Amino acid sequence: MTPLTRTWATLIALSAATVLLVPMPGRAAMAGLLVLAWLKARAILGGFLHLRTAPGWLAALTVPLALWLAAIWGLAALSFR
Amino acid sequence: MSLDDLPGELILWILIVSELLVFAAGITAMMATQLTDPQGFSAARAMLDGRMAALNTVVLVTSGLLAARAERAAGAGDRRGARVALMGAALGGLAFLSIKAAEYARDLAAGAGMDSHPFFTFYFLLTGFHAAHVIAGVAVLALVAIRARPDAVQAGAMFWHMVDLVWVLILPPIYLLG
């Protein structure tokens, strides 16, 4: 399997995991859905956009994305206390 | 870590980060507005068909794989292979738009209009803006396929991956959270 195909397979697997997690209620499930979205974004940035070969740049994008998704989770959790 | 380490043109990375910021601002505004009416947002969100969004994710990431293969083929001097992969990626974009159009038709038939609830205002604006990027992306993929030069194909593929990236990030807040 080539690295590009592996990235695609990872994205399909993460999408399948998202579908499985959707019926679960609660804030932990919402966090899980956002973690899966972050992992998909990381796979696209690292695999398709080649940031895995650019030292430091993958983290430079994925860390702010993680912080933003954490803020989104916080807003969702506040809405459904 | 330096700018020279970044793959592709710097201007495309500026575009990618700018687009991420625009969509992040829209999603953050939607989630903040949800605080004023959680039940209403939840009921509105329940009217959407998440299965179509899931199908579109599969379509878009598969299209992304084809764009990445086009970039690799163009880099190896295989212009025909690059063109075939670019056309496959563009067809994926058209499939995405067809599914999105069917989803909008279903939403509108169910009474979900731009003005029916603030959630739907955000929903149509954010997914519509994303669909506009898909249309632009399909045009870019078709344009770079004409000469299939490695640098142009790489730029087209990077734009396409940005469309993919935005979709996987906006999907959970719009369709799934609540």
Side-chain angles (χ1 to χ4, degrees), chain B residues 3-24:
Chain B
L3 290 177
D4 291 336
D5 295 330
L6 281 171
E9 293 291 328
L10 177 61
I11 190 70
L12 278 161
W13 283 105
I14 293 170
L15 175 72
I16 289 169
V17 172
S18 303
E19 295 285 351
L20 284 174
L21 288 171
V22 168
F23 279 96

Side-chain angles (χ1 to χ4, degrees), chain A residues 5 8 49-50 54 57 68 79, chain B residues 2 5 7 28 34 38 62 69 71:
Chain A
T5 307
W8 172 81
L49 283 163
H50 313 300
W57 283 105
W68 173 67
S79 295
Chain B
S2 75
D5 295 330
T28 307
Q34 180 175 257
T62 303
R69 283 185 174 168
E71 181 187 357

Side-chain angles (χ1 to χ4, degrees), chain A residues 2 4-5 8 11-12 15 18-19 22 30 33-34 37 40-41 44-45 48-51 54-57 60-61 65 68-69 72 75-76 78-80, chain B residues 1-3 5-7 13 24 27-28 31-32 34-35 38 42 54 57-58 61-62 64-65 68-69 71-72 158 161 164-165 168-169 172 176-178:
Chain A
T2 66
L4 290 178
T5 307
W8 172 81
L11 288 164
I12 295 296
S15 300
T18 301
V19 170
V22 167
M30 288 195 286
L33 291 167
L34 292 171
K40 285 181 222 168
I44 291 168
L45 286 163
F48 285 166
L49 283 163
H50 313 300
L51 283 189
W57 283 105
L61 267 81
L65 273 180
W68 173 67
L69 288 169
I72 293 301
L75 288 168
L78 277 175
S79 295
F80 301 104
Chain B
M1 180 177 161
S2 75
L3 290 177
D5 295 330
L6 281 171
W13 283 105
I27 290 291
T28 307
M31 296 302 288
Q34 180 175 257
L35 290 170
S42 194
T57 303
V58 173
V61 299
T62 303
L65 171 66
R69 283 185 174 168
E71 181 187 357
R72 193 181 56 183
M158 286 179 74
H161 297 317
D164 204 356
L165 179 62
V168 301
L169 288 168
L176 308 176
L177 295 189

